[in-house]
Amino acid sequence: MTRLNNFAGSLVVLVVVLSPIPFGSNRPFFWAIWGLVVAAAAFVYSVAAARNGEGLRIPLSKIGWSVGLWALLLLWLVVQVVPFGAILSPFSIALSGGTITSETISTAPGATWLMLIRIATYGLFFVLALQAGAKENRSVLMIKILFWGIVAHAGFSLIQLTQFGDTILGLPKIAYMGVATGTFINRNSFATFLAIGLSVGISLLPGIISAKRARNETVMDKIFRLFFHVAGLFVIMVALLATQSRMGLFAGLLGAFVVLLLVLKQNRHWKVLIPAAVAIAVAASLLIVWTFGQGVIERGLDIEGSSEGRMNLYVQVWDVIMTRPWTGYGGGAFSLFFPAFFGPPLDLVGFWDKAHNTYLALFSELGIPAGSLLMIASAILFGRILWSQLMGTTLNPARLAAIGAIITCAVHSLVDFSLEIQANTFLFVAVVALGLAATIRMRAPGQV
């Protein structure tokens, strides 16, 4: 089983590191490609395990309610695209200009099929990452590779911005000129990718500091290793500031700070260390922001104007939700159905093809009951991982990284759509799955 899980781990880190390159994989073509890759890997894994007479190292029953909620979401997406209207009576959709009918609950079945593919892909990807995380050494190695992969993307984004004429993979930008976007189109989406990297990087620090020196390793070697890791965190932080994403920066710092507090809480001198860390973290953050984040400061001072437009959007999206609160208008179809409801107080200066709030987007597309399924599943996983870390006596990097990643994404999703970008979701799913695997290992080490 070790070889199979090594295969699963290699696939997971490769997908996470490579998926941001084609514009964050935010196109149907790439959704299909990654879906085929992950499905093929899951098929090979299952067939090989069956031939060897082996089951999953971490059974799906260990995941608990989250598996059932994911299955319910898949089922609801199927229900949305089945033409029940042709059998019973067409579904009516009331618009300001009149009423239209549809044979399916979804107003755009094609978009809903694509969302079904994505959700199924993420589920299979989660299972593969979970199996790879069954072994602690492999899990830690994967976290390290993910961290340095994010550092590489951060460094490349700064090179593109300063040396390659502010382009994306050599192509001219169509928006966000003068800020870092990496290989993503949207700066806020790239900021989430980097922000998760902060939590992942900090989660690895305790292991570097407390690791015993190898036989031929000197103290200076260990110091250099620590310095090199901190340099990686610094590159991520500078790139995050270069995105000029206000909430991306806030969410990233919040997630990383919670991870840092959990690390310090394990020390017997935590009552002294935590206040000191707070003071140092605030001072260092202010210094770095002042030195490298003038764009973030300027945008922060202009928050009133942008927040007014967002609030108008949220009010209008909520009104749309209330017209179909139980069924929604179709998974993945927001950009197709929302223009039919577009109107004052929103102006025509911008094109609102996203809800800029993942929670509202899910409610409008799936209905409030089904739209809550992913949120409930994530909350359950977060509670399990956090409780495991609080009750444990060791600092596991996968658990710490998962806690920071969930906090970061939960906060940023309040004002943006970063988890609607596939590359970000792959990173999020991988880190959370590794964190859950560490939690299950702690509870039942003899069964994993």
Side-chain angles (χ1 to χ4, degrees), residues 396-419:
N396 182 277
R399 286 202 305 260
L400 291 170
I403 292 167
I406 293 173
I407 291 173
T408 295
C409 292
V411 171
H412 203 181
S413 293
L414 288 168
V415 297
D416 240 306
F417 50 86
S418 296
L419 283 185

Side-chain angles (χ1 to χ4, degrees), residues 165-234:
D166 191 19
T167 57
I168 301 178
L169 297 174
L171 301 173
K173 288 182 178 180
I174 58 175
Y176 303 112
M177 272 68 77
V179 300
T181 59
T183 53
F184 292 70
I185 300 296
N186 184 280
R187 64 172 162 208
N188 296 304
S189 301
F190 182 49
T192 298
F193 188 81
L194 297 172
I196 296 174
L198 287 180
S199 292
V200 173
I202 291 178
S203 74
L204 291 166
L205 282 174
I208 297 174
I209 295 171
S210 62
K212 294 181 179 180
R213 281 187 289 144
R215 180 178 299 178
N216 297 323
E217 186 181 33
T218 65
V219 174
M220 287 305 299
D221 290 335
K222 186 172 181 178
I223 293 174
F224 176 77
R225 186 147 45 93
L226 177 61
F227 174 81
F228 191 63
H229 187 84
V230 173
L233 281 169
F234 181 76

Side-chain angles (χ1 to χ4, degrees), residues 302-314 345-346 352:
D302 188 40
I303 194 169
E304 183 177 353
S306 60
S307 62
E308 182 181 358
R310 289 287 179 90
M311 290 308 299
N312 290 335
L313 172 64
Y314 298 155
L346 290 178
W352 301 98

